[in-house]
């Protein structure tokens, strides 16, 4: 069993690393992404508002590119 990473401290906040973004949804009028956290089990995936993902812009772009490819297929 792999040991869970310690979050990075950014300002006053803990920050965990995004492994991949699996899905998106609108929830109460806000965009959220389903996050697979790096080195965490599937059971700990969470829906996060885009405002919590300010340092995950590359992963968000990759997710949207995959969705465009999937729709075009």
């Amino acid at each position: 069993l792999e040991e869970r990473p310690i979050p990075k401290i950014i300002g006053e906040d803990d920050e965990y690393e995004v492994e991949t973004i699996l899905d998106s949804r609108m929830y109460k009028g806000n965009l959220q992404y389903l996050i697979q956290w790096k080195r965490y089990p599937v059971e700990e995936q969470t829906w996060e508002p885009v405002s919590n993902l300010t340092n995950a812009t590359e992963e968000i772009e990759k997710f949207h590119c995959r969705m465009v490819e999937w729709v075009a297929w």
Side-chain angles (χ1 to χ4, degrees), residues 3-57:
E3 203 172 298
R4 293 190 176 139
I6 297 171
K8 296 177 187 175
I9 306 299
I10 308 285
E12 296 178 9
D13 300 320
D14 293 346
E15 183 164 319
Y16 295 86
E17 190 171 348
V18 173
E19 181 175 309
T20 192
I21 298 176
L22 304 167
D23 202 356
S24 65
R25 70 179 182 184
M26 292 299 290
Y27 180 75
K28 296 185 178 182
N30 296 305
L31 178 60
Q32 292 185 333
Y33 292 101
L34 181 59
I35 305 300
Q36 172 62 53
W37 300 104
K38 189 169 188 175
R39 294 176 40 198
Y40 280 82
V42 171
E43 298 81 30
E44 294 193 35
Q45 294 172 351
T46 59
W47 286 100
E48 296 293 330
V50 70
S51 60
N52 286 357
L53 302 170
T54 56
N55 293 322
T57 54

